[in-house]
Amino acid sequence: MPENMENGRPMKNNIKVQRAMRDLTQEDLALAIGVTRQTILAIEKGKYIPSLDLAFKIAHYFGVTVEEIFSYDDTIQTIAMKDHNKTE
Amino acid sequence: MKKNTFYLFIGCIALALLAIFWYSIEVHLPIIIIIAFIIGIILIYLVRRKVTDFIEDERSAKITQMAGMRTFQIFWIVFCAFSIGAVMEILHIPAFPRSFPPERPPEIIPPRLMGYIQLGLLCLMIFLYVGFRIYYARKYGEWETDEE
């Protein structure tokens, strides 16, 4: 199962957008929430799914809810399932 | 303490251990290197707590955890297989001895061979750990690059 999937469902996030809206670099965000820049980069690229604690820290930092940052990528899943059904 | 100073300290400890290792071979006293190794590792752990610019977050902890777990999963199988073989050597008694007096039971694995086996296991463990660490670091985006 790819790393950006939780319970077989792909996950997406909009940290990059939130950062851009506030003119923040990955380094700024990383320092603010006490992680490395590589961790922020890995989360943004979907290589790593953060823990609940870190997800809340990120959401609190941006002043939004966790759901506004992290969500299941149902579009990708629907397309993937359609493709899977077609092949069967 | 800065991170680079810490790495220098580790280098010094490693060099000292290497020197003590050869000295203990020279005087044929394994207890010297055993004690030195334990002291060296304790020193490294104590000094590591003084490093201020060392950020260990949950992703790096997960990489370490996964690499350690996978290494252990393979290592215990190999280690048990060798150990079972060694136990068999200890317990083996020739059945129905035809000669009188009966043949001596086979020797337990000689210490030199045991040393080679342990060296092999140690190398295997190190290679496995480094390999898994590289694999999981890559999986969790350690060397990802970005436009920033």
Side-chain angles (χ1 to χ4, degrees):
Chain A
M1 187 185 294
E3 182 49 33
N4 70 332
M5 292 178 102
E6 190 72 23
N7 300 321
R9 298 177 74 184
M11 285 199 80
K12 63 176 182 180
N13 66 74
N14 63 357
I15 296 176
K16 202 167 188 170
V17 178
Q18 297 283 349
R19 275 196 310 105
M21 281 161 62
R22 289 160 182 81
D23 199 21
L24 284 167
T25 63
Q26 288 170 341
E27 190 74 45
D28 296 333
L29 178 60
L31 278 173
I33 57 175
V35 294
T36 57
R37 191 183 80 86
Q38 280 307 117
T39 299
I40 299 297
L41 178 57
I43 295 169
E44 280 183 4
K45 291 208 163 189
K47 288 267 180 179
Y48 176 69
I49 297 176
S51 67
L52 199 56
D53 182 48
L54 185 54
F56 269 107
K57 275 185 188 169
I58 294 168
H60 276 223
Y61 183 76
F62 288 130
V64 294
T65 60
V66 175
E67 291 91 339
E68 283 175 79
I69 299 206
F70 298 96
S71 58
Y72 285 122
D73 195 351
D74 287 325
T75 329
I76 293 173
Q77 194 198 20
T78 315
I79 293 165
M81 281 183 78
K82 274 180 186 170
D83 287 347
H84 183 70
N85 291 338
K86 267 184 196 173
T87 51
E88 283 185 351
Chain B
M1 182 188 278
K2 294 279 175 196
K3 203 160 53 177
N4 288 344
T5 319
F6 176 64
Y7 290 144
L8 272 175
F9 177 76
I10 292 179
C12 292
I13 292 278
L15 280 176
L17 282 180
L18 192 68
I20 294 167
F21 176 71
W22 285 112
Y23 177 73
S24 67
I25 290 174
E26 191 72 28
V27 295
H28 201 241
L29 276 175
I31 192 77
I32 298 174
I33 184 62
I34 291 169
I35 292 171
F37 183 77
I38 293 169
I39 291 171
I41 297 298
I42 291 171
L43 269 176
I44 288 173
Y45 275 116
L46 285 176
V47 173
R48 193 173 182 270
R49 290 159 67 179
K50 306 267 181 202
V51 183
T52 48
D53 58 343
F54 206 72
I55 300 175
E56 193 181 35
D57 59 12
E58 60 175 49
R59 191 184 55 89
S60 55
K62 187 166 185 180
I63 291 169
T64 308
Q65 179 199 338
M66 292 298 287
M69 192 181 72
R70 294 282 181 233
T71 306
F72 182 70
Q73 279 177 340
I74 295 177
F75 181 72
W76 84 263
I77 297 170
V78 180
F79 184 73
C80 280
F82 274 114
S83 300
I84 291 166
V87 170
M88 188 218 73
E89 286 288 336
I90 295 168
L91 298 177
H92 176 70
I93 300 166
F96 306 112
R98 287 163 190 238
S99 60
F100 187 83
E103 284 173 26
R104 281 177 56 213
E107 275 187 5
I108 298 170
I109 298 174
R112 188 170 283 256
L113 181 62
M114 203 65 202
Y116 283 129
I117 290 172
Q118 287 196 340
L119 180 69
L121 286 172
L122 185 70
C123 289
L124 174 77
M125 194 164 64
I126 292 168
F127 278 115
L128 277 175
Y129 183 74
V130 171
F132 278 123
R133 224 189 135 81
I134 291 169
Y135 172 76
Y136 283 107
R138 196 165 162 266
K139 186 178 177 185
Y140 294 127
E142 186 71 33
W143 297 292
E144 287 289 322
T145 50
D146 203 35
E147 68 272 13
E148 281 187 25

